[in-house]
């Protein structure tokens, strides 16, 4: 919303020492956010009034004329293209050497052989309006040579852009008057009060239009007045210029009038053509389901049982508080009007405006909960302006004033000491009194206690508790005038969040081994999840998604992560990534779960079979050891395997008997289907489960006193024999077997279905050095047991 | 005769050892003179034929030679070894500018880095780090935070709702209520994490972003405390003494509520292109906790007061690392992630 400083100054006389920058900062720091400001009209001091003395045709150009003007001190001759003026008219003149806004430099020039000294301007060139149809015609009484900033002092203004979001809770700031009141409190200056002479609105006879309000609980107030003997023309230039400056387009005197009053008080109004109201009666009522109405914007809306309408004998003609119907307003032929200024229930207006998808200047104000007390004041102001322009207007009958839902008075009990204590600064009692009085509060004091009556313009929404008063005093006093004070707190270490620390540790270990951390969106869609036949159970679906690819919560990190891998393979084949994040689902008891999962991925150029798998296994092992996970085991997936996982290059990861996750390469079919290249392995771990495991603790054991004896064997075994099976067998032979280790594997050509596995075995006793005899015996038993299981020495 | 031989031997040893240029030669000399069948041993054998006095004299002389030879051999071989090793080292040259093993360092996500840092700062100031669910009830996200049913913030265009009436939290402020419910005042808590808004995505807006929420509740907490705390906290975060200003801001869960601006670190408030010539950067929202919120958390507002603050971590990360577009924060593109590896 744009506000004009001159307009504000209609109600308050500000000290001229205050610079614009200072004023804007003051409003920002004490009232609401000013996003920017513009000083207008400064160029007008270089433009003067010129009287047209003579108009001659241009000898060489049919479309041009030569105008001779009197600019007070001298006469000038200017070549001009416009034709909307005559001898004796006054027009704006710019002398050569002057630069107009938009960096237009005026110079002495020859236009098709004729000298032109300076320029005569249209309204748009001087920022009065966007009219470029002809020269701007100045008032006849303007003195030749007088600078335009003196002819139009209101044009020299400061236009401030208010951030609408910063005044959502302030119904009183949706018009200029509210800002005047705020500045009055800040600078402790008087502000012209809003008073009304009610006789002024009393007319003769009976009112032309009757009004009925059927839904009074949604209409705090409905005011209206019938005015006849009006005519539709352009507004006075003063009003047109003001509206233009704050970004509104002038339409005609009656529409401009309602807009002008709205911008001044914040109260939206509507001017009906009183002769175009069938039945001469307006009824405010809830719309019937399916009511259709063609709006001013030529857009049809369908209303329902929660929408209020203003109806005439032919049905709904206005969507109450939002927009008028196409035929409800005034037109060129209008001679009598019904001015309406109502106060509507903010929630109802909000709902209607959301439902029909129309946010208007009116609805935007009504949904802030306006003060019903300004409704009649608005009508009064409108009639005052109207009468100044058209002294012959007639008011018919009495003003309509129907009150519905009552806005209850609010009295707040607080105290001087509470205000100071909450602000952390001692504020003088006099200052508190003065601020509150300027803001419109009425004070009653009893000792230290204060009883405050909240003014009507602050009562509808934001002021109801002592803390609100703290804010009023704080912002007007200036929050930045409060000296910071360190809070006093006992020294105490906080309870550390061990889960956060556990996850942080996991991340640190991973990045040290070359993994990059990725974030993917927790929102996804079913087709993305379907690629991995993820069980569609307990999916959390959004009611109001905004994009097709974000309609539900992910139930696995895998789908997006695969895309991450795929996309990055366009950059390189060699990389490692991970994501540590939540998945979301409803469990069988309808409880929402958000467990943390870790997914790691390793991509590399293809070399030997299982290369990526072994590398990722090693990193995963490293991670789990660092996280103190006990007894890690890697077992075939078997029935835990899903279609996309490779039948053989995959494993389930266990700690003791707890299943923690899987590590796998994709099946050849999925590699092809997902279009993944090179050698890729992925591991998924349940991070929350890992956190809950009882961790391995570091305990020191004395190094063994007696030496071990080591021997190596090579076995020729079927290719698909797990090393771990053989190692377990050897370990079980005798308690003296202290260590079994993998040395090497190779595939001898002469035995195509076998592999040669080299294993090292260590014997050690904790009591003595083993003698050769015992060692030989142990060796024999090992070999024998292996042979019994059909694992023969090579 | 023998005596003369002995002297000759001494001379020839001297000349040979002086001429020796490598360790092998020294070994040969050692064998030749000091070996079992060496010259000195030979000479000793001849001693038998001499009379007693001569035997003693020559024997003494021979022993003297033996020690002298040994010492000289030791010294010479030490000297030659040094030459040899020096030569070897001279020949051993590698290109130390190569990195053939390629140490790979990964990277933390910029949001993780900012979050870690913030959590560290707050923990060291005695704050407890809390967690909360992303899928929340209307109660925790709105009602308990003094956002009544028809407040604009509840509009369908802002909040993602689920079919069961739950929603995706739109703010980490939910942590205030959960914190007060589970802890007794005085309390100091923060919560970090993802929040969601149904907004169309552009360079500075995303449907999923990250916030930090903090709260302090005790007896007699005032605006003066809030300002002091904000200044201290931001000075820690930005590692320099920052200037802040408060202006009125409306958040239903605080009263009074503020927008906090920080003086632009680049121009110190004078105005530059980074701060759009305003000199101030809008950084966070904060305020004194609304009594209704304290009540909802089970804290008696007549005994306690508190303040709360919330800020966007995405913006902080973008400011800190010079990221100009919010969108690459999601998706895990290597070209983006690799920027966060220190090389
Ligand atoms: Zn700056």
């Amino acid at each position: 919303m744009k506000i004009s400083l001159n307009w504000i100054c209609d109600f308050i006389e500000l000290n001229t020492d205050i610079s614009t920058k200072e004023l804007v900062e003051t409003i920002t720091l004490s009232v609401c956010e000013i996003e920017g400001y513009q000083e207008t009209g400064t160029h007008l001091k270089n433009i003067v009034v010129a009287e047209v003395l003579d108009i001659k045709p241009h000898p060489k150009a049919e479309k041009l004329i030569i105008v001779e003007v009197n600019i007070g001190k001298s006469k000038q001759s200017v070549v001009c293209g416009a034709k909307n003026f005559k001898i004796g008219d006054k027009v704006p003149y710019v002398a050569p050497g002057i630069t107009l806004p938009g960096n237009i430099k005026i110079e002495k020039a020859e236009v098709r052989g004729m000298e032109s000294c300076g320029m005569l301007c249209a309204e748009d060139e001087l920022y009065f309006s966007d009219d470029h149809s002809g020269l701007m015609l100045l008032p006849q009484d303007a003195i030749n040579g007088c600078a335009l900033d003196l002819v139009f002092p209101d044009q020299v203004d400061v236009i401030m852009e208010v951030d609408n979001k910063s005044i959502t809770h302030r119904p009183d700031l949706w018009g200029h008057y509210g800002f005047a009141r705020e500045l009055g409190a800040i600078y402790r200056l008087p502000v012209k009060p809003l008073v009304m002479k009610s006789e002024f609105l009393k007319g003769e006879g009976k009112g032309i239009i009757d009004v009925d309000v059927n839904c009074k609980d949604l209409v705090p107030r409905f005011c209206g007045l019938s005015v006849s003997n009006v005519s539709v023309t352009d507004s006075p230039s003063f009003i047109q210029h003001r509206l233009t400056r704050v970004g509104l387009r002038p339409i005609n005197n009656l529409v401009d009038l309602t807009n002008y009053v709205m911008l001044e008080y914040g109260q939206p109004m509507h001017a009906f053509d009183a002769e175009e109201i069938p039945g001469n009666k307006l009824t405010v009522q809830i719309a019937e389901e399916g009511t259709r109405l063609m709006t001013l914007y030529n857009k049809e809306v369908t209303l329902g049982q929660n929408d209020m309408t203003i109806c005439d004998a032919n049905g709904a003609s206005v969507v109450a508080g939002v927009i008028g119907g196409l035929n409800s307003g005034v037109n060129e032929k209008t001679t009598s009007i019904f001015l309406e200024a109502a106060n509507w229930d903010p929630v109802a207006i909000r709902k209607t405006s959301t439902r029909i998808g129309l946010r208007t200047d009116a609805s935007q104000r009504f949904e802030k909960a306006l003060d019903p007390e300004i409704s009649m004041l608005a009508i009064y102001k409108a009639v005052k302006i109207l009468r100044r322009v058209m002294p012959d207007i007639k008011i018919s009958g009495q003003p309509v004033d129907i009150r519905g839902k009552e806005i209850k008075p609010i009295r707040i009990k607080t105290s001087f000491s509470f205000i100071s204590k909450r602000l952390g600064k001692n504020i003088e009692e006099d200052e508190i009194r003065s601020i509150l009085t300027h803001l419109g509060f009425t004070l009653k004091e009893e000792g230290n206690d204060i009883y405050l009556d909240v003014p009507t313009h602050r009562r509808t929404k934001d002021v109801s508790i002592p803390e609100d008063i703290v804010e009023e005093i704080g912002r007007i006093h200036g929050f930045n005038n409060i000296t910071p004070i360190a809070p006093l707190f006992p020294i105490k270490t906080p309870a550390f969040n061990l889960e956060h620390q556990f996850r942080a540790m996991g991340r640190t270990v991973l990045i040290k081994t070359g993994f990059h951390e990725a974030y993917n969106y927790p929102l996804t869609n079913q087709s993305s999840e379907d690629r991995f036949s993820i069980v569609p159970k307990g999916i959390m679906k959004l009611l109001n998604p905004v994009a097709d690819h974000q309609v539900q919560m992910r139930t696995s990190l895998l789908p997006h992560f695969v895309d991450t891998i795929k996309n990055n393979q366009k950059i390189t084949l060699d990389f490692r990534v991970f994501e540590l994040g939540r998945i979301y689902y409803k469990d069988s008891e309808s409880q929402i779960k958000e467990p943390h999962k870790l997914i790691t991925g390793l991509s590399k150029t293809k070399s030997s079979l299982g290369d990526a798998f072994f590398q990722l296994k090693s990193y995963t092992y490293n991670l789990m050891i660092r996280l103190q996970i006990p007894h890690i085991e890697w077992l075939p997936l078997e029935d835990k395997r899903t279609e996309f996982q490779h039948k053989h290059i995959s494993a389930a990861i266990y700690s003791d008997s707890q299943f923690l996750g899987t590590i796998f390469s994709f099946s050849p079919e999925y590699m092809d289907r997902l279009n993944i290249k090179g050698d890729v392995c992925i591991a998924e771990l349940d991070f929350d489960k890992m956190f809950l495991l009882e961790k391995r603790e570091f305990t020191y054991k004395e190094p063994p006193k007696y030496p071990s004896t080591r021997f190596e064997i090579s076995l020729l075994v079927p290719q698909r024999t797990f090393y771990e099976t053989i190692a377990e067998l050897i370990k079980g032979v005798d308690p003296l077997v202290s260590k079994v280790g993998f040395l090497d594997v190779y595939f001898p050509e002469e035995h195509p279905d076998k592999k040669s596995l080299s294993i090292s075995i260590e014997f050690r006793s904790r009591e003595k050095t083993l003698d050769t005899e015992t060692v030989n015996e142990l060796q024999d038993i090992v070999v024998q047991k292996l042979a019994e299981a059909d694992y023969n020495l090579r | 005769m023998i005596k003369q031989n002995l002297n000759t031997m001494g001379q020839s040893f001297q000349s040979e050892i002086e001429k020796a240029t490598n360790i092998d030669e020294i070994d040969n000399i050692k064998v030749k003179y000091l070996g079992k069948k060496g010259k000195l041993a030979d000479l000793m054998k001849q001693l038998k034929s001499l009379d007693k006095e001569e035997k003693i004299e020559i024997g003494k002389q021979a022993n003297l030679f033996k020690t002298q030879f040994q010492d000289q051999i030791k010294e010479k071989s030490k000297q030659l070894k040094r030459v040899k090793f020096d030569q070897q080292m001279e020949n051993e040259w590698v290109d130390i500018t190569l990195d053939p093993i390629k140490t790979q360092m990964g990277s933390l996500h910029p949001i993780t880095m900012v979050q870690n840092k913030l959590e560290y700062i707050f923990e060291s100031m005695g704050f407890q780090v809390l967690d909360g669910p992303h899928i929340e009830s209307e109660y925790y996200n709105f009602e308990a935070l003094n956002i009544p049913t028809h407040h604009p913030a509840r509009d369908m265009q802002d909040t993602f709702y689920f079919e069961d009436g739950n929603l995706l939290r739109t703010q980490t402020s939910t942590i205030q209520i959960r914190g007060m419910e589970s802890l007794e005042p005085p309390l100091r808590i923060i919560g970090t994490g993802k929040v969601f808004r149904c907004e169309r995505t552009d360079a500075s807006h995303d449907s999923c972003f990250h916030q930090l929420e903090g709260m302090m509740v005790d007896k007699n907490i005032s605006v003066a405390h809030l300002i002091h705390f904000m200044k201290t906290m931001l000075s820690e975060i930005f590692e320099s003494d920052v200037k802040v200003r408060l202006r009125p801001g409306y958040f239903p869960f605080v009263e009074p509520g503020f927008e906090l601006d920080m003086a632009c670190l680049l121009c110190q408030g004078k105005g530059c292109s980074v701060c759009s010539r305003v000199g101030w950067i809008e950084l966070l929202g904060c305020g004194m906790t609304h009594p209704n919120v304290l009540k909802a958390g089970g804290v008696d507002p007549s005994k306690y007061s508190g303040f709360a603050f919330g800020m966007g971590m995405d913006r902080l990360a973008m400011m800190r690392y010079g990221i100009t577009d919010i969108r690459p924060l999601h998706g895990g593109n290597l070209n983006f992630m690799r920027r966060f590896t220190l090389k």
Side-chain angles (χ1 to χ4, degrees), chain B residues 264 266-267 271-272 274-275 279:
Chain B
C264 174
L266 231 72
C267 64
C272 68
V274 169
C275 55

Side-chain angles (χ1 to χ4, degrees), chain A residues 278-297:
Chain A
N280 294 329
K281 184 176 174 180
L282 292 173
T283 309
V284 178
Q285 63 186 49
I286 303 289
E288 269 173 44
E289 195 64 50
T291 304
R292 283 156 179 265
L293 194 146
M294 184 64 82
T295 68
L296 279 174
Y297 299 152

Side-chain angles (χ1 to χ4, degrees), chain A residues 471 519 521 543-544 584 586, chain B residues 112 134 159 161 164 206 255 331:
Chain A
E471 169 155 47
Y519 280 17
Y521 287 110
L543 205 58
N544 55 332
Y584 312 79
K586 244 180 199 174
Chain B
T112 304
H134 296 169
T159 312
Y161 283 93
D164 64 1
D206 206 340
E255 188 64 61

Side-chain angles (χ1 to χ4, degrees), chain A residues 110-221:
Chain A
E110 246 191 37
V111 183
R112 308 202 59 177
M114 297 302 291
E115 190 177 82
S116 178
C117 186
M119 182 177 128
L120 304 176
C121 306
E123 288 203 359
D124 67 332
E125 284 154 342
L126 300 180
Y127 286 72
F128 277 90
S129 75
D130 55 10
D131 185 6
H132 193 73
S133 60
L135 295 188
M136 179 174 183
L137 297 178
L138 304 177
Q140 265 314 177
D141 57 2
I143 298 158
N144 295 347
C146 179
L148 248 53
D149 60 339
L150 298 175
V151 182
F152 299 102
D154 202 50
Q155 279 301 102
V156 184
D157 198 356
V158 178
I159 302 299
M160 292 174 269
E161 180 76 48
V162 175
D163 176 10
N164 286 354
K165 266 192 265 162
S166 74
I167 50 170
T168 30
H169 61 306
R170 293 291 302 270
D172 61 317
L173 292 181
W174 287 82
H176 285 78
Y177 187 82
F179 282 89
R181 185 159 40 212
E182 293 288 312
L183 290 171
I186 295 167
Y187 296 116
R188 310 292 147 77
L189 292 170
V191 175
K192 274 188 201 157
L194 293 178
V195 281
M196 185 177 98
K197 290 187 208 108
S198 41
E199 322 85 64
F200 190 83
L201 291 183
K202 287 199 179 105
E204 294 148 23
K206 203 178 151 305
I208 312 170
I209 304 298
D210 279 338
V211 178
D212 243 356
V213 177
N214 287 349
C215 44
K216 283 193 176 170
D217 51 331
L218 293 176
V219 189
R221 199 173 183 191

